[in-house]
Amino acid sequence: MPIPILMFEYPDVPLDTVVGTDQSSSLRARVDMANDWPADYFISIHVNSNPNPAINGTEVYVYSLESTAAELAHEELDSIVAFVGTKDNLVRANPSLYVLRRTAMPAILVELAYLSNPQDAVKLKNEQFRFAFAMYIGLLNYFNLPYEL
């Protein structure tokens, strides 16, 4: 659902919470909010870090590799790798992640790239539109919706 529609359908929810920039809400509150909405999917977007600066790339986490969420995760990962040029670190199952475990709808957690890797950090800084566009194209691919580049 586009942001303007969200704004009209949920006028009591601050826009920064809807688009995920509200740092004050707990994981439980975010999951409860998603479960209370008629949300069809839950997509959590992050950047990663590692003590080893050589580690780089994009990975997407799901509760189970045999799931609807995993299908969406593969589309998102493939699109990010293709449009941004990050390393493909695979779709990975991590059932211990709260947002994946507790949402009622298919959920994915996208780690766009590593802030701790110099090359990835440059992409995160300079290629924000490409990351966003890649995620958009991944959604279109998942839903088999046509688009032109």
Side-chain angles (χ1 to χ4, degrees), residues 20-102:
T21 60
D22 182 350
Q23 299 295 323
S24 65
S25 62
S26 71
L27 292 176
R28 181 177 179 178
R30 292 175 193 194
V31 167
D32 288 346
M33 193 181 310
N35 288 338
D36 288 343
W37 289 343
D40 295 318
Y41 296 88
F42 184 94
I43 301 173
S44 187
I45 304 168
H46 302 260
V47 294
N48 218 335
S49 183
N50 192 292
N52 180 352
I55 303 296
N56 65 12
T58 302
E59 56 250 18
V60 183
Y61 291 93
V62 295
Y63 182 81
S64 168
L65 293 175
E66 301 297 324
S67 65
T68 300
E71 295 171 19
L72 173 58
H74 282 287
E75 292 293 347
E76 290 294 343
L77 178 63
D78 291 348
S79 186
I80 293 168
V81 168
F83 281 93
V84 183
T86 56
K87 179 183 169 195
D88 183 337
N89 287 341
L90 306 176
V91 172
R92 303 173 180 191
N94 189 339
S96 68
L97 293 173
Y98 189 84
V99 296
L100 302 180
R101 189 175 73 245
R102 301 298 298 220

Side-chain angles (χ1 to χ4, degrees), residues 20 43-47 108-112 135:
I43 301 173
S44 187
I45 304 168
H46 302 260
V47 294
I108 66 173
L109 189 148
V110 181
E111 294 284 3
L112 296 173
M135 293 203 62

